[in-house]
Amino acid sequence: MKLLLIAGLLVITASASFADAILFTVSSTPYDNQMARIRPVLTRTNRASSNAVSLNTVNQWMGNLRSIPYGFTAMWKTPAEAQSGAPADCKAKAVALYEKMQANGATNVRLVIGKRTSSSRQTHAWLAWETQTGSYVLDPTFNWTACTTGQVGKRNYQPLYAYAGKKKFRAASTLVAQN
């Protein structure tokens, strides 16, 4: 009964970001070993201290990454490998955008692994970006520009795990918590 009450309170207090997911800090995820090659990108702390990154600039970066031909690899590519001219998958494009945003002073950015749609059989990688003007899904594999969480809908972009700097998160959907 207590567990049900706690779950109910979590549902009520959940923010609308990340497609209505609650993120719990965890010490590890099932993806940690695979991500060893890109961990330095995620944990780099030498951010620019420039003005906030504009949505127009992010959209330009997304367009550049979106134009890279798609090609799946089991191994996570570094941003340099993703932009080398060879095909790149969702993981490579998301990590390259993460690095660019961090290097240019963007804050509140998370690399997300989850399901692109509720019926997806495979996982997908994208970025979630929280700004003062709203929450955005940044998916340079499928989208040319940033989308608000309202534009993608509740059944799309369902996170499973997220990474921000040295922090790791496991997502619990409010939809799951209500069942």
Side-chain angles (χ1 to χ4, degrees):
M1 186 67 164
K2 272 188 172 180
L3 184 58
L4 187 57
L5 178 61
I6 291 170
L9 289 173
L10 287 173
V11 169
I12 291 169
T13 60
S15 71
S17 63
F18 298 106
D20 288 328
I22 303 169
L23 297 175
F24 297 99
T25 303
V26 294
S27 59
S28 64
T29 78
Y31 296 92
D32 290 351
N33 287 337
Q34 297 174 30
M35 298 179 72
R37 296 185 81 238
I38 58 112
R39 188 163 288 114
V41 174
L42 295 176
T43 59
R44 190 169 295 132
T45 57
N46 58 345
R47 297 180 184 160
S49 59
S50 63
N51 295 332
V53 175
S54 75
L55 191 55
N56 286 337
T57 301
V58 170
N59 287 337
Q60 288 174 351
W61 295 335
M62 284 184 61
N64 292 340
L65 290 165
R66 174 71 176 90
S67 65
I68 297 170
Y70 181 86
F72 175 79
T73 59
M75 180 175 50
W76 286 73
K77 288 185 173 185
T78 65
E81 292 168 333
Q83 296 180 15
S84 70
D89 61 10
C90 62
K91 302 180 303 287
K93 293 179 182 191
V95 170
L97 183 57
Y98 185 94
E99 179 187 58
K100 191 160 280 286
M101 292 188 71
Q102 294 290 71
N104 285 278
T107 58
N108 301 317
V109 180
R110 288 190 172 99
L111 173 69
V112 182
I113 300 169
K115 299 286 186 166
R116 183 169 172 260
T117 67
S118 58
S119 62
S120 295
R121 291 182 178 206
Q122 297 180 335
T123 57
H124 182 61
W126 68 91
L127 300 184
W129 184 32
E130 302 288 328
T131 72
Q132 290 180 346
T133 59
S135 300
Y136 294 93
V137 170
L138 309 177
D139 183 357
T141 302
F142 289 102
N143 303 324
W144 291 96
T145 60
C147 298
T148 65
T149 54
Q151 289 173 308
V152 299
K154 290 184 181 266
R155 295 225 177 265
N156 297 318
Y157 294 98
Q158 298 175 352
L160 298 173
Y161 299 95
Y163 298 82
K166 294 181 180 180
K167 294 182 181 179
K168 302 172 188 177
F169 304 92
R170 179 182 56 84
S173 169
T174 57
L175 298 174
V176 172
Q178 291 175 349
N179 290 334

